[in-house]
Amino acid sequence: ADPSLVPASDDILMTAELFQELLQIRYSSELFRLETFDEVQARVAFHNTGPSQIPGLVVMTISDMVGPDLDGEYERIVVLVNAGDEAQTFTLAALAGRRLYLHPVQADSVDPVVKTSTYDKAGGTFVVPARTTAVFVEQEAQPVAVTFNVTVPDYTPGTIYLAGGFPDPYPNWDPAGIA
């Protein structure tokens, strides 16, 4: 009804680029292409539900930790769709301590707004700007082969203790998980 609301060519090009990014995200994981009702029921969960839900915010998780491994790269995907006029903060306590990152496509997006989406590991809290869909991913733990060539004089077989850690690109390194 308002003739002044005509998209400029830059607006159209930006929309096309953002659409291409969403397609890249969709094809980055088999988890976005579940084929059966049972797969969806087992792997997809919606949060922000019930009487205390935040209007205009959809929060969905997709898990690769049930059933056969469908995605060799991601263990979990969290999608937040904020249709509102203001940034939204959402805490999912079950994800506290998890190593989630903005999807690489969005971290390198042509859209500067989506890049401001955040996740706080300590509390499992996400912040998503207004009118933004943000996709966070948790990388699957990858086995790391470590070889030690050490000569220890008078060594008696026993337990060897390691200390330290790996920086990214090994975000799921957890020394506490070593037995």
Side-chain angles (χ1 to χ4, degrees):
D2 185 348
S4 68
L5 296 176
V6 177
S9 61
D10 286 347
D11 298 327
I12 294 169
L13 290 173
M14 176 75 143
T15 300
E17 289 181 69
L18 292 172
F19 183 74
Q20 291 296 320
E21 287 181 1
L22 288 176
L23 287 176
Q24 284 179 308
I25 291 169
R26 180 175 185 258
Y27 284 100
S28 71
S29 175
E30 290 291 324
L31 296 173
F32 284 117
R33 297 185 306 282
L34 301 175
E35 296 181 357
T36 68
F37 172 83
D38 289 338
E39 285 178 326
V40 172
Q41 288 296 107
R43 296 175 186 269
V44 177
F46 287 92
H47 312 276
N48 189 37
T49 59
S52 62
Q53 68 183 287
I54 301 167
L57 181 66
V58 177
V59 180
M60 174 181 73
T61 55
I62 311 170
S63 175
D64 200 23
M65 293 180 275
V66 294
D69 188 8
L70 298 180
D71 186 325
E73 188 168 354
Y74 301 128
E75 276 297 309
R76 179 186 334 268
I77 297 172
V78 182
V79 179
L80 297 100
V81 180
N82 180 4
D85 295 342
E86 297 178 10
Q88 294 293 341
T89 300
F90 186 80
T91 299
L92 192 51
L95 296 182
R98 305 305 301 196
R99 293 185 173 150
L100 292 155
Y101 300 91
L102 193 61
H103 193 287
V105 170
Q106 289 188 320
D108 194 36
S109 178
V110 297
D111 178 9
V113 175
V114 75
K115 293 178 183 182
T116 66
S117 302
T118 61
Y119 165 72
D120 175 40
K121 176 182 171 182
T125 300
F126 298 87
V127 178
V128 181
R131 297 189 183 101
T132 299
T133 296
V135 179
F136 290 84
V137 292
E138 179 181 13
Q139 290 182 327
E140 184 170 310
Q142 298 294 324
V144 176
V146 178
T147 303
F148 294 95
N149 293 317
V150 179
T151 303
V152 180
D154 302 323
Y155 172 72
T156 303
T159 303
I160 296 175
Y161 295 92
L162 300 175
F166 291 103
D168 290 345
Y170 302 106
N172 291 324
W173 167 255
D174 181 8
I178 296 175

